[in-house]
Amino acid sequence: MVYNVYGRRKGFEMLCPLGSYPLLMRRDADDREEMVKFLTEETSTGAASSLYVHIPFCDSLCNFCCFYRVLLEENRAESYLNTLKTEIMRYSDTEYIRSSSFGSVYIGGGTPTSLETEQLAELLTLLRERFHILSDAEITVETTTHNAKREKLEALYENGVNRLSFGVQTFNDATREVLTLKDTSSDAISVIRSAQDIGFDNIDIDLMYNLPGQGMDDWKRDLQCTAELGLESISTNPLFVARGTAFAREIEKGRISGISDDRTEIDMYLLAIRELESAGYQQQNLVHFMLPEKEHAYAKMRFGQCDCLALGASAWGFLGGYLYGNARGIARYTESVIAGAESEYPVSRCARLSKDEMMRRYIIGSLHSISIDRDEFTRLFGVELTDVFRERIKGLLERGLIVSDDSTIMLTDAGKVWCTNVAEEFCPDQCVAIFEKMFGD
Ligand code: SF4
């Protein structure tokens, strides 16, 4: 049953862009002027927001990576940080952001720790000076193990960073080489131990599965090794071979082989759920497993209805009902911040969401978090979820993809496996067609 629910299984990598679907259907900056006016004049609702800052630099480029990132060059990084500073000043001067408070901050990339320690410290100070970051806010910095030197981690800790997310991918050294990772598993473990020693008590590591040559036993060892490190959070993602990556080219040339089929990927995901739950972790969303007393506040807020102020090249955010995407690429981003008029923002796409789009976005975000809160849906939209999407929900229940009680709709394990297909059921046909083009075979 779990292997054959829809014709073709859509990967987890589609779920995030699916949540931003109205933007893809309205490619222009239609509503940007309206959003700028809104930010200038309105005050926030008072609910805590999240803050995302994109640092698009890495000091080495992994062959499989399809994120927007470039190789670090000192001058380029300095100039990018200056542009980012201008963007921070512009937003923080608006009425809406002045009256907002931030319950989570996420500095992602790229590899933020490819920056110099002083640059990171300066950025964190500026964020605190210009935004009302709550005293108990979760502040995460993404990093890799090969460039997270102890003094850099200490500086982050001293500057209020209380969560680290390490891109480890695997503890198997042969596979690390295939993935062009720069350090060995024992180096990676000693960096993680050093972060624990400094005092970080909310550490996440990213693991990937369905890697070249990786069998079920190898995957189980990676999971066990991670659990033994006593980390608070583990995220598991299948390898996504994106078109145009060095990794995809190596596969075409026959230099990398041994990636298994969809069935194995499903088995590996289900194994992760079993292994991590038996090691005491709870699944918070499709990919994150956490110790019971911990949570990933940023993910919760980002996939809920909270505002997210997103800064930096290619970042996308959600403010007061406006979904927006920043200019893609450092050059275009810089041009739109620096060359723009005083009131300009680097927003290249912007859409004021209709009630129908808000409802669908709420459902897709909730599916990422595994459950839909029916009461909250009614509170937010003034209608019952089951009244609006009766037939869809009935079909999903019949296929065993969800279970439901009076207050919640939860994905079953089969529903988690097929979550992107489930989410598509709540998207307009036009959006599904766009995604087919983007991610189709
Ligand atoms: S370090 Fe992370 S962001 Fe940079 S290339 Fe590797 S996977 Fe991509």
Side-chain angles (χ1 to χ4, degrees), residues 235-440:
S235 71
T236 62
N237 279 288
L239 171 69
F240 169 51
V241 182
R243 280 185 293 218
T245 55
F247 197 84
R249 284 193 295 277
E250 293 290 288
I251 291 178
E252 271 163 33
K253 288 177 190 158
R255 291 189 194 140
I256 294 180
S257 59
I259 295 171
S260 304
D261 54 15
D262 201 42
R263 183 175 277 246
T264 308
E265 184 174 305
I266 292 171
D267 286 340
M268 286 185 164
Y269 181 54
L270 296 176
L271 178 72
I273 295 175
R274 276 202 312 275
E275 282 292 316
L276 294 175
E277 285 184 349
S278 70
Y281 289 85
Q282 291 174 349
Q283 190 168 10
Q284 183 176 308
N285 57 43
L286 277 185
V287 297
H288 279 100
F289 296 82
M290 255 151 278
L291 290 181
E293 70 277 13
K294 294 290 176 186
E295 65 165 20
H296 183 10
Y298 174 78
K300 259 196 169 166
M301 296 172 86
R302 181 94 206 207
F303 293 107
Q305 286 296 291
C306 299
D307 276 354
C308 176
L309 169 60
L311 305 165
S314 309
W316 64 273
F318 181 69
L319 290 173
Y322 292 87
L323 194 60
Y324 70 92
N326 273 358
R328 224 180 123 73
I330 296 175
R332 283 175 53 202
Y333 165 73
T334 306
E335 197 182 317
S336 56
V337 174
I338 302 297
E342 273 308 297
S343 63
E344 272 292 350
Y345 297 82
V347 171
S348 63
R349 290 160 295 152
C350 178
R352 170 105 177 99
L353 301 197
S354 65
K355 181 178 168 186
D356 179 71
E357 288 169 335
M358 293 277 265
M359 285 195 293
R360 293 174 192 271
R361 182 172 179 271
Y362 177 86
I363 294 169
I364 295 167
S366 299
L367 288 173
H368 187 278
S369 303
I370 296 176
S371 70
I372 309 174
D373 184 333
R374 296 175 61 168
D375 297 335
E376 185 177 55
F377 186 93
T378 309
R379 237 183 0 261
L380 287 169
F381 304 110
V383 280
E384 294 268 345
L385 176 65
T386 41
D387 287 346
V388 189
F389 296 104
R390 184 175 301 279
E391 289 309 311
R392 302 267 187 229
I393 289 170
K394 189 165 164 268
L396 295 171
L397 281 167
E398 283 168 0
R399 276 180 284 178
L401 295 167
I402 56 172
V403 287
S404 176
D405 61 25
D406 286 347
S407 59
T408 316
I409 288 178
M410 291 272 297
L411 287 172
T412 59
D413 280 355
K416 292 173 196 168
V417 166
W418 292 87
C419 183
T420 306
N421 299 69
V422 172
E424 261 191 4
E425 298 241 11
F426 296 94
C427 288
D429 293 345
Q430 192 193 350
C431 152
V432 175
I434 291 171
F435 274 90
E436 276 298 326
K437 253 195 199 163
M438 284 174 71
F439 292 96

Side-chain angles (χ1 to χ4, degrees), residues 55-70 109-111 142-144 146-147 167 169 179-181 208:
I55 304 294
F57 301 104
C58 293
D59 55 9
S60 69
L61 301 182
C62 309
N63 59 359
F64 58 88
C65 179
C66 59
F67 295 126
Y68 175 64
R69 84 287 188 252
V70 295
T111 311
E142 275 184 352
T143 180
T144 60
H146 79 262
N147 73 8
Q169 323 310 354
L179 298 177
T180 61
L181 299 171
M208 291 202 305

